Amino acid sequence: MRPNRLNPLFAAATSLKGIGPKLDKVLAKLLRPGAPANAEARILDLLFHLPSGLIDRRERPRLDQLPEKGIVTVEVTVGKHRPPPPHLKRLPYRVECFDDTGTLTLVFFHAFADHLQRMLPPGETRFISGAVDWFQGSPQIAHPDHIVSHEEFARLPLIEPVYPLTAGLSPRILGRAIRASLEKIPSLPEWQDESWLKRKGWGDFSTSLRKLHQPATHDDLNLLTPERLRLAFDELLANQLALSLVRKHMKRKAGRKLAGTGDVRTRIVSALPYSLTSSQQTSLAEILRDMAAPERMLRLLQGDVGSGKTVVALLALATAIETGTQGALMVPTEILARQHFATLTPLCDKAGLRLALLTGREKGRARDELLAALAASEIDILVGTHALFQEGVEFRDLGLVVIDEQHRFGVHQRLALQAKAQNADLLVMTATPIPRTLALTVYGDMDVSKLTEKPAGRQPVDTRVLPSERMDEVIEGLHRLLASGGRAYWICPLVEESELVDLAAAEDRAKALAAAFPGRTGLIHGRMKGSEKDAAMARFKSGDITLLVSTTVVEVGVDVPEATVMVIENAERFGLAQLHQLRGRVGRGSGKSTCLLLYQGKLGETAKARLTIMRETEDGFRIAEEDLRLRGAGEMLGTRQAGLPVFRVADIVEHADLLAAARDDAGLILARDPKLETPRGEALRSLLYLFERDDAVRLISAG
């Protein structure tokens, strides 16, 4: 289905001279980080790999004017070659060069003498370009970037773009591959509105892309150059167009009116130990209005930590059950599934709702009986992990699917769920407040409801930032807390992207704390079996252990109102959203709660800003905006997590205003040309393929 004119861009990088299978593996790892292990690098990947800096070789000093450091290009006469002695091969090969003002030594390690003799014949003039360094008061250039004769000098690139690299890839090879890729850009039809391009002063796609790879000054690398803005808008428009097509596709499938009687809802509300906050009531009203409408509901419920999303979701599910249908609540981890099941059971019992739990752990006869009851409509609400949508799990009549998302399910997974759920309504919950710009790129296909208050009775958390040298005081304070019957969490440092290293750190800390608090310390980490995690959680909840040590790979998604202290070790290594999530585990009861952020060493600017914000505010939405500003979108949500679209050119922070324009434009395009059949529509199909949002193209013709 891809237009033929785009085929050159999707050709393998191995079609370029000098790129073999071995180099292709290295390129694919660098250019396609989320792709399957056997994925090839393509011309397109090289073209969207933009420069991060430039080397200016125009500096042409005489040898007596060489700077302390920096890149220079010098014209010299080649002098004496000084190879290392035969028995000391590890010493470098040196070549002396000179002009009429001074001398310069070229240094080569592991060199081939005959190659250097050919490249640097004594007595000949050569232009040498590279980074100058000084050794014992004399200037030298180790492994020059370029060595050229007078005739070749005209072809020496005096300004060279610098690209992000990876182990096993040299700047020269990558630069050559990208230059060869630029020659493969085909002639493409214009998909942007001509008057909009004129107003913005932007050129066409191909010219803009070429110019981005040929910066003449550092200003050309700015994210706000006309060329970068043009391509960023292209990418954001592809994203918004795809999301709008997903939404249209989902909405086009017949929904059903789910307007309940309100009886079951009333029973749940009267069983709650508190009254609903005004934002819970507003969000619930929006959800119920969507459910009662004939189109399918596609709604995102955004709430801060502890803002009461689960109760709102339960009231929505109760409405589906009142209309005679069933409900599903899907969560990303088994711990959370069991926690939701435990939290909802007493409320469901009082309201007369039949609740069941299905995770990967339910097996054999118990699983078969549960599935039979589900198919016979003897279960009202099924709680579980993605096991809910595996083969063989059949609902009698599914009316509402609630996904507790936490950025784990992207648009593709939502589509797959929708297919399974036929014409069910969809409510997605996220516990991480998301900045508006990011919400548009991840959830642009959905309507949004926000919970902005904490339920009545929740206490503010006193957040303190301490150097780790004061750890003895922290442990002393814990002695007082645990002696008085209190409970605490201790989160171990994020060592690196490795569960094993994190685990070792956690086990060491758990041992040290177990020695300080014998018989009262438990440990939980991502490599434990589900049953072991549950047992540790249950002991903490019951008060059998009072200090829970945990790694970050585990969602400490447990509601233990008695826990009033959260210690986070090496807090400077955590993202803001993560710190905020962890802090939200305390302050859930009526007791005064504290969060201690321990940091090590001297704090960098970003870490200091992060910890300052944590001390200043508990407002998750403000924290999310700051996190986005400090770290950018990819790092903020974790580029490996499925929900986040990977942007190659656009920057969500710098190009936020373009996102709103792209959203408006996408709406306008589809209102005028819903099947993208006009000349501009056809060109926009190319855009969707180019930025790999082609799933959306298939939806245009799908029923």
Side-chain angles (χ1 to χ4, degrees):
M1 283 175 71
R2 183 171 64 219
N4 287 335
R5 62 173 159 258
L6 294 181
N7 289 344
L9 300 178
F10 285 86
T14 48
S15 63
L16 299 172
K17 194 178 167 196
I19 308 248
K22 193 174 167 192
L23 201 52
D24 179 50
K25 266 201 179 74
V26 177
L27 280 173
K29 196 172 152 199
L30 172 70
L31 305 175
R32 300 186 67 183
N38 59 350
E40 293 181 313
R42 302 157 305 178
I43 303 287
L44 187 74
D45 305 315
L46 287 160
L47 289 173
F48 283 143
H49 190 64
L50 298 175
S52 54
L54 59 81
I55 293 173
D56 189 342
R57 301 189 186 281
R58 289 174 299 188
E59 180 81 4
R60 297 263 313 271
R62 309 286 287 154
L63 293 184
D64 65 344
Q65 296 166 336
L66 287 172
E68 282 292 310
K69 281 242 178 303
I71 301 274
V72 295
T73 303
V74 292
E75 185 179 358
V76 294
T77 302
V78 180
K80 200 172 173 58
H81 282 239
R82 297 191 183 278
H87 61 289
L88 289 172
K89 289 286 184 199
R90 285 167 59 199
L91 289 180
Y93 188 113
R94 298 175 185 275
V95 181
E96 287 175 2
C97 300
F98 57 90
D99 67 6
D100 51 12
T101 68
T103 60
L104 168 75
T105 305
L106 307 182
V107 180
F108 302 90
F109 290 89
H110 314 298
F112 294 106
D114 51 349
H115 172 65
L116 290 178
Q117 288 283 354
R118 279 197 306 275
M119 206 161 52
L120 292 158
E124 297 269 337
T125 301
R126 288 289 180 268
F127 286 92
I128 313 289
S129 190
V132 73
D133 214 339
W134 292 74
F135 179 69
Q136 295 179 345
S138 300
Q140 59 179 33
I141 293 178
H143 292 276
D145 301 328
H146 298 275
I147 299 172
V148 296
S149 65
H150 252 298
E151 298 72 38
E152 296 163 327
F153 181 66
R155 295 200 299 277
L156 179 74
L158 292 179
I159 292 181
E160 255 181 302
V162 174
Y163 294 95
L165 292 168
T166 188
L169 185 64
S170 76
R172 189 172 295 182
I173 286 170
L174 180 61
R176 194 167 61 221
I178 289 172
R179 284 193 297 279
S181 298
L182 287 168
E183 290 168 22
K184 306 276 186 188
I185 300 176
S187 168
L188 295 169
E190 183 54 75
W191 45 73
Q192 296 294 2
D193 179 67
E194 290 293 346
S195 58
W196 164 252
L197 290 180
K198 213 175 220 156
R199 196 159 78 244
K200 289 289 185 184
W202 294 345
D204 63 78
F205 173 84
S206 307
T207 310
S208 302
L209 185 54
R210 284 192 182 94
K211 185 132 191 241
L212 284 177
H213 283 286
Q214 293 155 353
T217 67
H218 285 283
D219 288 345
D220 292 340
L221 300 166
N222 192 305
L223 291 176
L224 301 177
T225 62
E227 293 75 27
R228 186 67 180 242
L229 290 172
R230 154 77 214 224
L231 263 71
F233 187 73
D234 284 338
E235 186 166 30
L236 293 171
L237 180 60
N239 166 263
Q240 290 301 303
L241 204 50
L243 286 170
S244 299
L245 284 163
V246 167
R247 180 185 172 84
K248 249 173 93 78
H249 176 71
M250 288 184 174
K251 288 278 189 187
R252 192 164 60 209
K253 291 193 170 179
R256 67 226 291 213
K257 295 182 181 181
L258 298 177
T261 57
D263 297 347
V264 183
R265 271 204 320 275
T266 308
R267 290 203 292 273
I268 292 171
V269 172
S270 57
L272 292 172
Y274 50 81
S275 53
L276 296 177
T277 63
S278 64
S279 60
Q280 278 177 314
Q281 288 169 350
T282 306
S283 295
L284 183 61
E286 289 167 348
I287 291 164
L288 296 182
R289 191 182 63 227
D290 281 6
M291 289 175 72
E295 300 86 25
R296 301 173 82 183
M297 171 170 74
L298 293 172
R299 189 165 279 278
L300 171 70
L301 178 61
Q302 252 194 294
D304 207 340
V305 183
S307 58
K309 290 177 301 299
T310 313
V311 169
V312 175
L314 178 61
L315 292 168
L317 287 162
T319 304
I321 280 94
E322 286 169 1
T323 61
T325 64
Q326 294 165 291
L329 170 57
M330 177 164 139
V331 298
T333 66
E334 208 170 288
I335 285 184
L336 275 170
R338 293 184 183 280
Q339 183 203 320
H340 276 315
F341 183 68
T343 308
L344 297 177
T345 297
L347 289 170
C348 287
D349 287 349
K350 284 179 184 162
L353 292 173
R354 297 163 299 180
L355 186 71
L357 174 71
L358 178 66
T359 67
R361 214 194 298 175
E362 276 67 51
K363 295 209 165 57
R365 191 170 161 191
R367 180 183 160 89
D368 293 343
E369 285 172 1
L370 189 149
L371 295 181
L374 185 69
S377 219
E378 290 161 15
I379 291 171
D380 294 319
I381 300 171
L382 187 59
V383 177
T385 55
H386 55 272
L388 294 192
F389 288 92
Q390 283 170 350
E391 211 61 47
V393 181
E394 298 298 337
F395 291 81
R396 175 78 176 272
D397 184 8
L398 184 56
L400 174 64
V401 179
V402 179
I403 304 178
D404 192 350
E405 156 117 320
Q406 300 198 321
H407 309 308
R408 303 296 162 79
F409 310 115
V411 174
H412 302 301
Q413 289 92 329
R414 291 208 286 275
L415 276 171
L417 276 178
Q418 285 288 3
K420 182 95 179 179
Q422 301 283 305
N423 55 356
D425 284 343
L426 179 67
L427 178 66
V428 175
M429 303 193 294
T430 171
T432 310
I434 307 171
R436 187 177 164 275
T437 48
L438 217 48
L440 278 180
T441 65
V442 183
Y443 303 104
D445 54 328
M446 312 189 96
D447 299 306
V448 180
S449 294
K450 267 187 181 182
L451 297 179
T452 51
E453 306 148 275
K454 285 194 176 184
R458 286 280 170 93
Q459 301 295 312
V461 179
D462 177 17
T463 304
R464 300 176 191 188
V465 179
L466 303 168
S468 51
E469 288 80 41
R470 292 177 63 184
M471 192 166 311
D472 290 349
E473 292 171 48
V474 173
I475 289 173
E476 208 175 293
L478 282 178
H479 271 292
R480 289 194 298 274
L481 172 82
L482 302 187
S484 65
R487 271 173 247 175
Y489 295 99
W490 188 296
I491 304 298
C492 287
L494 192 66
V495 181
E496 55 181 62
E497 289 284 329
S498 153
E499 272 187 42
L500 280 174
V501 185
D502 283 351
L503 175 56
E507 284 174 336
D508 290 349
R509 177 57 66 212
K511 270 187 203 138
L513 290 170
F517 306 101
R520 286 183 285 172
T521 307
L523 170 66
I524 186 163
H525 57 75
R527 293 190 160 245
M528 286 163 85
K529 287 192 179 118
S531 53
E532 293 171 339
K533 284 183 207 169
D534 288 350
M537 288 295 188
R539 289 184 69 204
F540 184 56
K541 218 172 165 112
S542 68
D544 184 21
I545 54 172
T546 48
L547 179 60
L548 185 65
V549 181
S550 168
T551 63
T552 53
V553 288
V554 174
E555 312 285 339
V556 191
V558 185
D559 197 355
V560 182
E562 297 82 0
T564 55
V565 171
M566 165 66 69
V567 180
I568 304 176
E569 215 179 322
N570 283 116
E572 75 279 3
R573 293 182 182 169
F574 292 79
L576 258 176
Q578 208 171 16
L579 289 172
H580 180 61
Q581 282 287 324
L582 291 166
R583 175 171 65 183
R585 299 294 145 218
V586 294
R588 291 173 163 253
S590 51
K592 187 175 178 300
S593 290
T594 309
C595 177
L596 301 174
L597 304 175
L598 300 179
Y599 66 89
Q600 207 165 20
K602 195 173 176 335
L603 284 177
E605 283 305 306
T606 304
K608 192 184 287 178
R610 228 180 266 156
L611 299 184
T612 304
I613 292 156
M614 285 294 293
R615 208 173 48 212
E616 284 175 1
T617 183
E618 280 189 76
D619 176 350
F621 287 95
R622 188 191 151 200
I623 283 171
E625 292 288 352
E626 290 293 332
D627 201 16
L628 181 62
R629 192 178 59 77
L630 289 171
R631 293 201 296 163
E635 206 187 328
M636 180 181 167
L637 291 187
T639 37
R640 293 170 306 138
Q641 291 175 338
L644 181 70
V646 177
F647 288 116
R648 299 174 126 182
V649 184
D651 179 289
I652 292 301
V653 181
E654 293 290 344
H655 302 139
D657 55 334
L658 291 181
L659 180 60
R663 184 173 174 77
D664 292 346
D665 199 15
L668 207 58
I669 288 162
L670 292 179
R672 290 176 180 165
D673 183 14
K675 294 202 163 183
L676 300 182
E677 291 169 324
T678 63
R680 186 185 178 195
E682 285 291 341
L684 284 161
R685 287 176 181 238
S686 292
L687 173 73
L688 288 167
Y689 276 102
L690 203 53
F691 285 101
E692 302 190 78
R693 301 291 192 274
D694 39 300
D695 278 5
V697 181
R698 286 191 275 283
L699 295 181
I700 298 170
S701 50

